[in-house]
Structures are given as structure tokens and as C-alpha cells.
Amino acid sequence: MLFLSHDEKIKQLASHLAERLERELSQETSDEQMHVLIGYLFASHLIEHRPTGYYVRS
């Protein structure tokens, strides 16, 4: 888990966010929508980098 590549960490984050959004909004998100959302979160500095992955700041 400590040695995930950047792409693997992004996939993990996207999966977690998609599950959360689906649960909260009762609506699935497309890969394109997830790509835009993750880009926005990174640009807004709302993503926290830890050795085990990327996390949305609370």
C-alpha cells in the first residue's frame, strides 16, 4: 500500500469519491466527470498527499 504509483492512487481516490457521490446523490458519475472533479480538487489544493494515497481534505 505504501508504494502505490500516482495512477493507482488516483484510481483509488476516484473509486472512493464515486462511491461517496453515488451514496449521497443516488446518481452514478462518469469517468469524465470524475476526471474533472479530481482536477478541480487538485487545483484547489483540496487533495492531501499521504504515503498511502490521496485524500480529500476535511
Side-chain angles (χ1 to χ4, degrees):
M1 186 85 171
L2 289 176
F3 299 106
L4 294 176
S5 71
H6 171 76
D7 290 341
E8 291 168 325
K9 290 176 185 176
I10 292 294
K11 287 178 187 175
Q12 185 181 55
L13 176 63
S15 175
H16 174 75
L17 288 174
E19 289 173 12
R20 182 73 186 263
L21 287 171
E22 186 175 344
R23 188 171 52 241
E24 297 290 330
L25 302 176
S26 300
Q27 180 178 344
E28 290 186 28
T29 53
S30 71
D31 289 342
E32 184 177 332
Q33 290 170 320
M34 289 307 301
H35 180 77
V36 170
L37 175 60
I38 289 173
Y40 169 78
L41 293 172
F42 268 104
S44 301
H45 304 283
L46 295 173
I47 298 291
E48 180 178 340
H49 177 262
R50 297 182 195 158
T52 57
Y54 296 122
Y55 300 91
V56 177
R57 293 183 192 269
S58 37

